[in-house]
Amino acid sequence: VDDEILQNLPVGTTATMYFRDLGPQLGWTMVFLAEYIGPLLTYLLFYFRVPYIYSHRYALTSSPHPVVTLACACHTFHYMKRLIETIFVHRFSHGTMPLRTIVRNCAYYWGFSAWLAYYINHPLYTPPCKFYGELQVNYALVIFVMCELGNFSIHLTLNNLRGDGPRGRRYPTPTKNPFTWLFFFVSCPNYTYEVGAWVSFSIMTQCLPVAFYTLLGFIQMTIWAKGKHKAYSREFKDYPSLRMAIIPLLL
């Protein structure tokens, strides 16, 4: 445990200590900053169509479709929110991450961001159909904003929960904020809202690569949520039995 003092441990008068070289490491704040600033900037390169990405005649032009600008605003907002949360909200339980893992994670986030941005900002991109397209985009935007607010609310709640320190551990519960009421049904509503945001982004852009990225993200977040759910259930005997991991009443 990080806060234990060696002289308070029951090791007797002599003790043998073993150290393991974990290799190059980076703190979690730097990890998340590296992971999130890449997608933010990469997407903008495609949105502004910098030279050599598309055909030369499209260099530094803009898309005539309003949904493309809206998608850029949503994507930028999403990762700006993540960066702000990393700096001002999140408290990380683990000290560092191996450098090799950071490279892999950055490749995932940066690569997918470039893939999504390439198709959404492509000169031949086709927006949702004209009959229901505007309605589809508007509904998706509302869901996106709601999910982003919900995700932020959950992160604030978790941050306040950790303010008690390791000695006063307790599981998260709903507060007066309606966005936190999802805690009644799932252990990790931050992942639920995150998936919801990407589902709405997929509907808004009607872009297959976005849907594929959303599916991969859902699979990974389900794994994390199930692990957290099991940990809560083991640690707290009075943990609510109604709660699922990530999807209310289902998963």
Side-chain angles (χ1 to χ4, degrees):
V1 181
D2 292 341
D3 63 339
E4 293 287 358
I5 301 175
L6 182 59
Q7 67 180 13
N8 295 336
L9 297 176
V11 295
T13 56
T14 60
T16 302
M17 301 184 67
Y18 296 90
F19 296 90
R20 180 183 177 186
D21 185 3
L22 299 177
Q25 304 277 314
L26 277 181
W28 276 94
T29 299
M30 186 59 66
V31 169
F32 280 96
L33 290 177
E35 288 178 355
Y36 298 154
I37 199 170
L40 175 65
L41 299 178
T42 301
Y43 194 100
L44 292 176
L45 293 177
F46 287 87
Y47 175 74
F48 290 110
R49 295 178 179 173
V50 298
Y52 307 110
I53 293 181
Y54 303 113
S55 175
H56 178 70
R57 64 194 177 105
Y58 294 114
L60 301 178
T61 61
S62 58
S63 173
H65 306 302
V67 67
V68 173
T69 300
L70 181 61
C72 180
C74 290
H75 189 276
T76 301
F77 174 81
H78 177 77
Y79 281 101
M80 284 296 297
K81 181 183 77 71
R82 284 192 171 190
L83 290 170
I84 292 172
E85 288 175 341
T86 298
I87 298 172
F88 298 107
V89 178
H90 291 322
R91 298 184 183 184
F92 302 107
S93 55
H94 300 286
T96 59
M97 174 186 279
L99 185 59
R100 62 182 179 276
T101 305
I102 298 171
V103 174
R104 181 191 66 195
N105 288 5
C106 285
Y108 172 82
Y109 283 106
W110 295 34
F112 266 107
S113 176
W115 191 39
L116 307 182
Y118 176 82
Y119 285 101
I120 296 174
N121 298 286
H122 197 283
L124 300 180
Y125 168 76
T126 303
C129 64
K130 61 181 180 179
F131 295 107
Y132 300 103
E134 185 176 352
L135 188 64
Q136 175 180 327
V137 170
N138 290 339
Y139 274 119
L141 176 62
V142 171
I143 296 173
F144 178 86
V145 172
M146 296 288 285
C147 288
E148 290 291 316
L149 291 174
N151 182 265
F152 181 71
S153 299
I154 299 301
H155 286 159
L156 284 180
T157 301
L158 294 175
N159 177 66
N160 295 333
L161 186 69
R162 290 170 182 166
D164 295 335
R167 298 296 184 182
R169 283 183 58 82
R170 51 194 172 91
Y171 60 82
T173 55
T175 67
K176 295 180 180 179
N177 183 344
F179 286 111
T180 67
W181 294 353
L182 200 53
F183 271 124
F184 283 120
F185 305 102
V186 295
S187 295
C188 300
N190 51 322
Y191 295 147
T192 309
Y193 283 124
E194 180 79 7
V195 172
W198 282 108
V199 168
S200 63
F201 193 73
S202 302
I203 296 172
M204 178 191 303
T205 58
Q206 201 167 284
C207 184
L208 187 59
V210 180
F212 180 68
Y213 177 68
T214 301
L215 176 61
L216 290 183
F218 171 68
I219 293 173
Q220 181 59 70
M221 283 184 275
T222 298
I223 295 173
W224 290 336
K226 283 187 172 182
K228 195 69 173 179
H229 180 75
K230 290 180 180 178
Y232 282 144
S233 299
R234 285 195 303 264
E235 183 174 358
F236 303 104
K237 302 303 180 183
D238 60 339
Y239 195 69
S241 58
L242 179 64
R243 288 189 188 181
M244 304 300 287
I246 187 171
I247 300 180
L249 306 177
L250 294 176
L251 184 63

